[in-house]
Amino acid sequence: MRSTRVRTATLAAAAALLAGLAVAPAAHAGTHRHAADPTLGQLAERTGRYFGSAVDNPELADTPYADLLGKEFDATTPGNGMKWYATEPQRGVFDFTAGDEIVNYAKAKGLKVRGHNLLWHQQLPDWLTSGTWTKDELRSILKNHITHVVKHYKGKVFAWDVANEIMNEDGTYRENIFYKTIGPSYIADALRWAHAADPKVKLYLNDYNVEAVGPKSDAYYTLIKRLKADHVPIDGFGMQAHLALQYGFPDRMQQNIQRFADLGVDVAITELDIRMTLPSDAAKLARQADWYGKVTDACLAVKRCVGITLWGYSDKHSWIPGVFPGEGAALPWDENLAHKPAYDAIREALR
């Protein structure tokens, strides 16, 4: 962990940088890392971890964006291309075009790929959500989907978010189509089927608002402990980390990561961004930088925290403004692909 003195120096430097950006041309704002300096991916690799960024298919057509993504990071996650609506748009008819495009891009750039995701309550195809299924029918559909998708990407992804966002904020199970029809056993089933399709890939549960110790993360702790006791293949827990300055930093984040690691599973920060109420200013960006440093520190402090993935690296393609009106500026690069203080805070922590 960094000392208070170093943290204070970082904040001062961030404020000074923002003051300089106010008068510097935007085109030069992101050039303070020398080309010979190690990238975030390289710095993370020195700690035995990865540092990645999600990408969606349309973004690959933005050549400067895609080129920087390939140069700065060592891992990526498809934002949408591997979700159910994309991979099985009709029952039993699979389409891997979008996912394959990102896998091929990653291979060309030397990036590892996290698979995201095998089941979720959103972005399901109409044929699935509009159907009336018995328990056995839906189990068969779910098994077939997971088996086909995991086998297709066998050896091409190193981890899968198998079950995504399956808990409510109070720690009860989300009543998605799978829970309502099959019951909670669908979670263990999904993990077993994914393992059978690719015994080497790492299998994760993944959710948001689980970075702090609280009812939701407690529920996952209990679930993972029970899955382990029942010898269900579960390798990791993904903390999305969609944070917001106005809600405060997650309580006891490092301790929370550690308690999951103590269960014998890996932990990954899977979808990191830190939004703010717009407009941004020097003080907000300095605080954001401090938080990015704290998240990185928390991961580095726990041996089984294996890596960090940003949910997109630049405000140019961020999902935040479209979902949270009046909020944004959530990522370490701005709309012009220039570094913000958050980038320097991450680098400092990784060093």
Side-chain angles (χ1 to χ4, degrees):
M1 296 293 288
R2 290 175 289 169
S3 68
T4 301
R5 180 178 299 174
V6 173
R7 183 84 69 188
T8 302
T10 300
L11 294 177
L17 175 63
L18 264 292
L21 292 185
V23 296
H28 300 291
T31 60
H32 52 276
R33 180 176 73 80
H34 190 275
D37 286 346
T39 65
L40 296 183
Q42 290 167 342
L43 289 171
E45 288 171 4
R46 294 176 184 179
T47 74
R49 295 165 176 82
Y50 62 85
F51 204 100
S53 173
V55 68
D56 208 359
N57 294 80
E59 296 158 13
L60 295 180
D62 182 345
T63 301
Y65 183 90
D67 286 349
L68 183 53
L69 174 67
K71 292 175 183 176
E72 188 70 49
F73 301 95
D74 64 343
T76 192
T77 302
N80 290 292
M82 293 182 179
K83 292 174 180 173
W84 198 317
Y85 82 102
T87 53
E88 193 181 358
Q90 301 176 54
R91 185 177 179 181
V93 178
F94 290 86
D95 183 353
F96 298 111
T97 304
D100 286 352
E101 182 184 22
I102 291 176
V103 167
N104 292 336
Y105 160 85
K107 184 177 181 180
K109 299 292 186 179
L111 310 183
K112 300 189 298 181
V113 180
R114 289 191 83 256
H116 178 80
N117 55 59
L118 295 177
L119 69 89
W120 189 29
H121 64 281
Q122 295 187 34
Q123 292 181 270
L124 296 171
D126 289 341
W127 69 262
L128 179 60
T129 56
S130 62
T132 302
W133 313 107
T134 66
K135 178 178 179 178
D136 288 344
E137 285 173 336
L138 190 56
R139 286 187 81 251
S140 178
I141 288 169
L142 182 58
K143 180 179 181 180
N144 187 61
H145 178 79
I146 289 173
T147 301
H148 274 77
V149 175
V150 174
K151 281 188 175 181
H152 179 82
Y153 289 109
K154 185 177 181 179
K156 300 176 183 178
V157 304
F158 70 92
W160 271 109
D161 291 327
V162 175
N164 193 51
E165 299 177 8
I166 57 173
M167 294 289 182
N168 295 314
E169 296 305 302
D170 63 0
T172 58
Y173 285 108
R174 186 187 294 276
E175 293 193 1
N176 59 35
I177 184 176
F178 310 105
Y179 181 86
K180 288 189 291 186
T181 308
I182 301 172
S185 63
Y186 82 89
I187 301 164
D189 286 340
L191 290 162
R192 290 190 178 104
W193 294 329
H195 178 73
D198 185 355
K200 294 183 178 180
V201 75
K202 298 290 186 180
L203 306 178
Y204 279 70
L205 304 180
N206 188 58
D207 214 326
Y208 63 93
N209 287 353
V210 293
E211 300 76 31
V213 175
K216 195 173 188 180
S217 60
D218 287 348
Y220 274 104
Y221 181 88
T222 300
L223 172 59
I224 291 173
K225 187 175 183 179
R226 184 165 62 248
L227 291 170
K228 295 281 288 184
D230 292 341
H231 305 289
V232 177
I234 173 70
D235 302 295
F237 183 45
M239 298 181 177
Q240 293 182 14
H242 294 297
L243 308 182
L245 295 183
Q246 60 268 34
Y247 299 127
F249 193 78
D251 179 49
R252 294 179 287 167
M253 184 174 184
Q254 180 185 325
Q255 292 90 329
N256 194 33
I257 295 172
Q258 184 66 61
R259 70 168 175 158
F260 281 95
D262 291 342
L263 289 177
V265 296
D266 293 338
V267 179
I269 309 302
T270 56
E271 305 183 19
L272 176 62
D273 47 36
I274 303 173
R275 65 187 187 272
M276 63 186 69
T277 301
L278 298 174
S280 64
D281 57 36
K284 291 176 186 176
L285 291 172
R287 188 176 176 213
Q288 179 190 61
D290 184 55
W291 282 27
Y292 269 106
K294 285 180 177 178
V295 171
T296 307
D297 282 343
C299 182
L300 292 174
V302 179
K303 186 175 182 180
R304 294 200 69 157
C305 186
V306 295
I308 297 173
T309 301
L310 304 173
W311 205 245
Y313 74 88
S314 163
D315 296 330
K316 184 177 185 181
H317 294 296
S318 174
W319 67 289
I320 296 292
V323 176
F324 299 97
E327 299 180 41
L331 294 161
W333 280 259
D334 67 15
E335 295 89 343
N336 298 312
L337 306 187
H339 300 160
K340 293 154 67 174
Y343 173 84
D344 298 303
I346 294 168
R347 289 185 62 82
E348 179 188 328
L350 289 173
R351 286 185 186 279

